[in-house]
Amino acid sequence: MLAKHEPLVVATRGDAVESIHYGSAVLLDANGEVRASYGEPQAAYYPRSALKPLFAVGMLRAGLELDDQQLALASASHSGAPIHQQVAASTLKAAGLDATALGNSTDLPYGVAERQAYVAQGGTATQLAQNCSGKHAALVALSELKGWDTANYLHDERLLQMLQDTVEELTGEKISGVSTDGCGTPVYLISLVGLARGFARLASAKAGTPEARVAKAMSTHPELVAGEGRDVTALMRALPRAVAKDGFEGIQAVALPDGTALAVKIADGGDRARMPITIKLLTEFLGEAAPAALAELATSPALGGGAPVGVLKAL
């Protein structure tokens, strides 16, 4: 059954609305109460890569030791810059492994500038360059630690059960479906309310817990969670100690240190519409406390002849 989405973001050109992005969104306050809601946030969606920080919590709970950079990259959809690939390689090396142990799909770097530089230097599609290599390096390192099947870690029931149990515990709901993400790991159907709740658990966790360690690593190293020029990195820099993660097909989750959290799903999967509605929810909730830097992420211009003639903005 199709979710009952609402118009969230429009693209204008001149005086006309040229395009409309529908979607669903929810913002929970520090007590977990719904403060803003659009569309059908209780419906089930695939959070895609927004699940990575929750997976990282599960890996820490299972005994994997990672430093903050490695932990941030395990939670990342990175741009494939040299530092990203180096940190992923360091996770593997610490476990006595190398890039041949990775089971994710191959790709060129996700970031435009990173891809251009990489190709100019003769780089080809590899598993290490692919944007999920930090997560996969951590997963196979955990499998090595546990004595599980590293050659088949993406299908090891012990690892898969740990990931599912962690997602269900952090989100406070049972998953309603399972599929496979683009990189090969499982992806679970959960509601936007559950996703926001899971991120709130990370951002507001007691210091020293696995949840707090993931949140600290991400907020301390936002450049590893995405990359230079990426909106998720810019958002975390604008909101110190916030935890933010995007996911393919129009997913965005954000949580603040007090446990306020939001989750967004753009119905058509349009990536450009994630941030305008996210910033609207944050700025309306924060009011005068909203950092000015958030405004830079709220809109983007539509160009005509190289000059602005319209705008992408939240309704």
Side-chain angles (χ1 to χ4, degrees):
M1 182 178 294
L2 295 177
K4 298 176 181 177
H5 295 295
E6 293 183 23
L8 297 181
V9 176
V10 296
T12 66
R13 186 170 295 273
D15 296 328
V17 172
E18 186 172 37
S19 301
I20 304 172
H21 292 281
Y22 286 69
S24 293
V26 68
L27 185 143
L28 308 179
D29 65 19
N31 296 316
E33 299 296 325
V34 175
R35 289 287 297 272
S37 177
Y38 297 89
E40 197 171 356
Q42 291 285 6
Y45 307 97
Y46 286 122
R48 303 297 296 272
S49 285
L51 287 175
K52 288 175 180 175
L54 309 188
F55 286 176
V57 170
M59 288 187 272
L60 290 182
R61 289 176 175 177
L64 183 62
E65 295 185 7
L66 298 172
D67 64 29
D68 280 358
Q69 286 191 320
Q70 293 165 342
L71 190 51
L73 201 77
S75 307
S77 297
H78 64 73
S79 291
I83 184 61
H84 298 139
Q85 298 189 48
Q86 291 162 11
V87 173
S90 76
T91 299
L92 293 166
K93 184 177 180 180
L97 303 169
D98 60 27
T100 62
L102 293 172
N104 55 305
S105 52
T106 62
D107 205 349
L108 295 169
Y110 180 71
V112 175
E114 290 82 0
R115 179 178 295 215
Q116 291 172 343
Y118 183 78
V119 171
Q121 295 171 4
T124 59
T126 67
Q127 290 163 310
L128 201 61
Q130 197 262 352
N131 75 89
C132 302
S133 63
K135 173 184 68 176
H136 280 266
L139 288 170
V140 74
L142 175 62
S143 297
E144 175 71 13
L145 173 69
K146 291 291 194 179
W148 297 342
D149 185 1
T150 56
N152 198 38
Y153 69 93
L154 288 174
H155 303 285
D156 191 302
E157 288 299 325
R158 294 161 293 189
L159 178 64
L160 299 180
Q161 191 63 56
M162 180 275 290
L163 295 176
Q164 179 174 326
D165 290 347
T166 302
V167 169
E168 290 184 335
E169 191 272 326
L170 290 173
T171 62
E173 62 184 51
K174 291 290 185 181
I175 64 168
S176 57
V178 184
S179 189
T180 305
D181 213 333
C183 67
T185 53
V187 61
Y188 305 113
L189 280 173
I190 58 172
S191 73
L192 294 180
V193 173
L195 182 61
R197 187 184 298 121
F199 270 66
R201 289 278 303 276
L202 271 62
S204 63
K206 183 178 179 180
T209 61
E211 294 91 330
R213 282 205 56 210
V214 172
K216 176 179 177 291
M218 293 175 68
S219 62
T220 303
H221 298 286
E223 75 285 354
L224 297 181
V225 178
E228 297 302 331
R230 300 268 299 279
D231 55 19
V232 170
T233 293
L235 175 59
M236 286 195 285
R237 285 173 172 164
L239 288 171
R241 296 177 60 210
V243 177
K245 185 69 188 74
D246 55 339
F248 279 173
E249 299 298 324
I251 290 287
Q252 182 67 57
V254 182
L256 306 180
D258 68 349
T260 299
L262 66 85
V264 169
K265 165 65 181 177
I266 303 302
D268 62 10
D271 187 65
R272 70 177 186 172
R274 283 183 299 106
M275 202 51 66
I277 184 61
T278 295
I279 299 304
K280 175 185 176 179
L281 288 166
L282 285 170
T283 54
E284 288 183 349
F285 180 79
L286 293 171
E288 294 183 357
L294 289 181
E296 299 176 10
L297 299 170
T299 64
S300 58
L303 301 179
V309 295
V311 67
L312 179 75
K313 63 181 181 179
L315 287 170

